[in-house]
Amino acid sequence: MSDCGCDKARQDLEEYLRNEVCKTEHAEIREHLENCPSCRDEALVATTLTEVIARACKESAPEELRDQVFARLREAQATAH
């Protein structure tokens, strides 16, 4: 069975989305994504998930929640010693 490039594209997808592959590989993966709906969908899901996580990381927890977390951490540290 011959692979149409999906295995290679999926293996390198994360690095591709972060622009961490060399230009030759980047062009090959981009071309594959343009011609393969399945891999293109997977790339879209990965991109969307990354954007949602990045947005969530920029939000800060409510002050009351932060206080509770820090209080529990202090308790845990005090009982650990």
Side-chain angles (χ1 to χ4, degrees), residues 54-66:
R55 268 196 310 262
C57 289
K58 290 178 184 174
E59 297 176 13
S60 61
E63 192 172 325
E64 182 180 319
L65 176 60
R66 284 195 310 256

Side-chain angles (χ1 to χ4, degrees), residues 9-73:
R10 288 181 177 160
Q11 178 183 342
D12 296 333
L13 185 59
E14 191 173 324
E15 287 83 5
Y16 169 81
L17 294 173
R18 291 191 314 243
N19 291 317
E20 294 178 353
V21 293
C22 72
K23 290 184 190 238
T24 304
E25 288 181 358
H26 192 277
E28 290 171 3
I29 296 169
R30 185 181 66 240
E31 183 178 341
H32 179 80
L33 293 177
E34 289 172 358
N35 297 304
C36 181
S38 177
C39 288
R40 186 170 52 244
D41 289 347
E42 191 169 325
L44 179 60
V45 168
T47 302
T48 303
L49 184 59
T50 300
E51 289 171 359
V52 168
I53 291 171
R55 268 196 310 262
C57 289
K58 290 178 184 174
E59 297 176 13
S60 61
E63 192 172 325
E64 182 180 319
L65 176 60
R66 284 195 310 256
D67 290 344
Q68 290 175 6
V69 170
F70 285 129
R72 288 194 183 177
L73 285 172

